[in-house]
Amino acid sequence: MARKLPRKDVVIIGLGWTGSIMAYELADAGLDVIAIERGPWRNTATDYPPGYAADELRYRIRHELFLSPGQTTFTFRNKMSEAALPIRSWGAFMPPNGVGGGGVHWNAETWRFLPSDFVLKTHLTERYGAGFLPGDMTIQDWGVTYDELEPHYDRFEYLCGTSGQAGNIKGTIMEGGNPFEGPRSRAYPNPPQDQPFGHTLFGKAARELGYKPFPQPSGNMSRPYQNPLGVRLGPCTYCGFCEWFGCGNYSKASPQTTVLPALVRKPNFTARDNSEVTRINIDSSGKRATGVTFVDASGDEWEQPADLVVLSAYTIFNVQLLLLSGIGKAYDPAANTGVVGRNFTHQTISDVVSFFDPEKFVFNPFIASGAIGMCIDEFNGDNFDHGPHGFVGGGYVGQVQTNGRPIETTPVPPGTPLWGAAWKKAVKDNYQSAIKPGTGVHGSMYSYRDVYVDLDPTYKDRFNRPLVRITMDFHDNEIKQNKFLTDKFAEIFQAMGARQVHKEYRKAPYDITKYQTTHLCGGAIMGTDPGTSALNRYLQSWDVPNLFVLGASAFPQNAGYNPTGTVAALAYWAADAIRSKYLKNPGQLINA
Amino acid sequence: MRRRTFLTLAAWLVGTTSLTRATVIHNHVPWAPHPNSPPEIARPGPWQFFTLDEARAMEAIVDRIIPPDPETPGGKIAGCAVFIDRQLKGPYGSNQGLYTLGPHTKGTKEQGPQSALTHADLYRKALAALDKHCKSTQGGKSFAELDAAAQDDVLRKIESGEVKFETVDAQGFFSALLKDVPEGFFSDPIHGGNNDMVGWKMIGFPGIRYDYRDWVNRHNERYPHPPVSIAGRADWTPAKS
């Protein structure tokens, strides 16, 4: 039997980027806020001190900063006709754990989506006709526009001290930036990071081919920075241990280095760590959340009553909690009914590994940061005419090599034996003169009727709750898109003078063992119609108006960018709606 | 906040923190020195997981996966078998943190490994099966007693699936070797492999030097400094007199 704690105005589930941002905004509005986080509290300097943070085995290979699958995992199958089996060790993505969430160990690639991405269905239908889209594709408009989100993107970039070169300030195209981006109200707070040799070489070759290369927007500091909350970050040292790792140098934007130091000083904010929310409680009307139930590290169960519930866990855990709490109708792909679990997507990532003459090229691949890179955006979203190509979607491509960590990044030319003297020689000969961007092609994945999540009928977690079941496969549209982008990407490496260019296309079937990104999206999507979305345009539940659900679970489909900038902008957008509209008149903000 | 509300809150906090091991964080940054565990440093010494026979086989295997050459030692001198020994004795060996609940059903390749065996069990069974196989086909010799060419031949046949073991998936064992041996060659020496940073010296990786602001703009110039490990460098430590 759960023991009941004193009521709070707001309970926040998960203290990563979105939970921290929302907690700050609502505490700032004077509300009494508690955040409940499954994992431990984490400090910047003391949890990953530079003296031993650079341990590739511990953090990259053994995944120390992540949720362990033993704590909870998912089941996976490609097709609805198959039996799903548990993901026993992480592969295609890495669920975060602990205060700061994925913001602790992300690359800090801080993108905005394109204006057309938010009105995707309308835009593509107008340009190409409805018949151009595959019949089972379920893309939707978001219900919010780029122009509405712009001030919130801007707030996040200034919170983080994002390093970058603006491409479009209030409609004026800026030299050296991304000419395809939506208009921004002002420049990035910091100039771009310095670019290592391989990255500048890519920029030069891309420019000579007629593209408009620009430095990737980066939450790794190009110089010391103090953000609007008064929190200071230090300059990045290009150590090459960024993504998968914590930054003990205060050089990477994370909740710990940007918002939490200001948040914890607010007397009306409390956090509980090592406590896992197991249920959102609903009253007998089914229309009102009364708070949450959680289990602490001792295994004791508690009830935290609250007037407003903010669900801000990782994508797929948001969906799991909605399903387990009976909030919203679960999606049924056969009947095509229900909203919770539909429009689940991931990403379509591929790479081109290039080998140069070791006599002429020394790249020092270990000199890098998590978000360093030179990119082009000509083939993202609908920046090019898809008519002749027979697919929709796209992505940015770039030399975004983040590391030369030798377990992960010792590429050898295709055809090299996997072991023995020839392998060893190839590793030695190519380490300094090969380029392996990792996620060089960062492509979109659009939504389909048979790609979704629901509760698994067989496998359980440590609380005996059903695991979330992922049913996912690539469709022809994504495979065509990836081939097109990978080929274009490879042409740039040829132009750089590589003597061998190896294209690693993303192929079907979707493989849960091959890492892509942790950018799972959808499952509890926002929209304009309660029949096809779980949330309205303010991320408010259509079914339970005192519940807001933050994170990439709201994306109706995935765009060809890293999601964190958009995830955070949506958190500010929802916080703004709560502060300016909901608190004055608690209830449904949109009448459907 | 009104003072009275605050006092009530403070009293509640004192009351509840004593009831639970989870931390309540309120009105302070919960900074603490060394909340994280520093790395465990593998020490030289006897085998911790492998039997002497297993260790002999493993040292032979790692020297075939990464053979010595005139410039760089092989897997054995680099400590790859010691690295795997320490890993199998630790959380990796027992599959700690992985999802181990059943039912265990063999699925598609895309669904990933579903074996009920721990990594430690896999090595134990596979090394026994390897010696049994060698003794029955190579005139009574164990794997470690074969010459290098014969060892390579056995490993190639396991890799290709031509040689199978009765008790365990031989190709699965070989896949584990292809992952674990290079990890022992390239991970920080604190884990027992990459002795004297030989793997890093071979390719020119500087280890955990951490700050490259002076070199990021020196394009196409080889970084000049030798590697540093989490445990420092041997030549920084004065010899005991």
Side-chain angles (χ1 to χ4, degrees), chain B residues 53-120:
Chain B
D53 281 347
E54 288 169 344
R56 284 176 63 224
M58 278 305 301
E59 294 211 303
I61 290 169
V62 300
D63 242 13
R64 299 323 306 150
I65 304 281
I66 305 180
D69 60 50
E71 286 87 40
T72 308
K76 179 180 170 179
I77 298 290
C80 294
V82 175
F83 166 83
I84 294 173
D85 178 71
R86 301 321 196 241
Q87 289 292 311
L88 293 178
K89 182 69 180 173
Y92 175 71
S94 59
N95 286 15
Q96 196 182 98
L98 303 189
Y99 186 81
T100 54
L101 302 179
H104 289 88
T105 310
K106 188 172 165 54
T108 62
K109 182 173 71 68
E110 288 75 24
Q111 289 179 309
Q114 296 292 330
S115 171
L117 278 187
T118 64
H119 294 114

Side-chain angles (χ1 to χ4, degrees), chain A residues 298-360:
Chain A
S298 310
D300 292 332
E301 198 175 59
W302 299 83
E303 186 186 339
Q304 174 63 64
D307 291 342
L308 181 62
V309 177
V310 175
L311 176 51
S312 51
Y314 178 56
T315 305
I316 199 160
F317 296 122
N318 281 351
V319 183
Q320 183 183 34
L321 265 182
L322 293 176
L323 290 170
L324 291 173
S325 307
I327 298 172
K329 188 169 159 44
Y331 175 62
D332 175 352
N336 202 18
T337 57
V339 293
V340 181
R342 81 191 291 270
N343 282 34
F344 187 67
T345 52
H346 189 188
Q347 203 112 45
T348 314
I349 299 294
S350 65
D351 202 4
V352 167
V353 186
S354 304
F355 300 90
F356 292 74
D357 182 349
E359 302 294 321
K360 295 180 186 156

Side-chain angles (χ1 to χ4, degrees), chain B residues 117-187:
Chain B
L117 278 187
T118 64
H119 294 114
D121 288 340
L122 172 67
Y123 272 82
R124 185 126 285 153
K125 285 174 190 276
L127 289 172
L130 176 66
D131 268 359
K132 189 176 166 202
H133 165 79
C134 291
K135 282 177 178 163
S136 68
T137 59
Q138 307 276 344
K141 288 183 176 172
S142 69
F143 182 83
E145 290 165 335
L146 303 178
D147 64 32
Q151 288 173 338
D152 281 349
D153 188 51
V154 171
L155 292 177
R156 266 194 288 272
K157 285 176 175 159
I158 292 172
E159 182 183 26
S160 70
E162 191 182 331
V163 165
K164 292 184 166 54
F165 298 151
E166 282 174 24
T167 49
V168 70
D169 174 8
Q171 273 184 305
F173 171 60
F174 199 77
S175 299
L177 289 173
L178 289 187
K179 198 170 80 55
D180 295 339
V181 179
E183 283 175 13
F185 198 67
F186 287 126
S187 61

Side-chain angles (χ1 to χ4, degrees), chain A residues 182-246:
Chain A
R184 51 175 66 244
S185 47
R186 52 180 171 164
Y188 287 101
N190 286 311
Q193 289 195 279
D194 290 343
Q195 299 287 341
F197 179 43
H199 302 65
T200 54
L201 211 55
F202 180 91
K204 182 167 174 285
R207 207 170 293 115
E208 284 166 5
L209 288 171
Y211 300 122
K212 302 279 188 191
F214 57 92
Q216 179 169 242
S218 162
N220 316 126
M221 298 304 99
S222 58
R223 62 182 180 189
Y225 180 67
Q226 178 171 322
N227 78 11
L229 302 182
V231 183
R232 290 165 190 268
L233 293 95
C236 173
T237 63
Y238 305 90
C239 79
F241 287 83
C242 191
E243 80 281 16
W244 310 77
F245 301 81

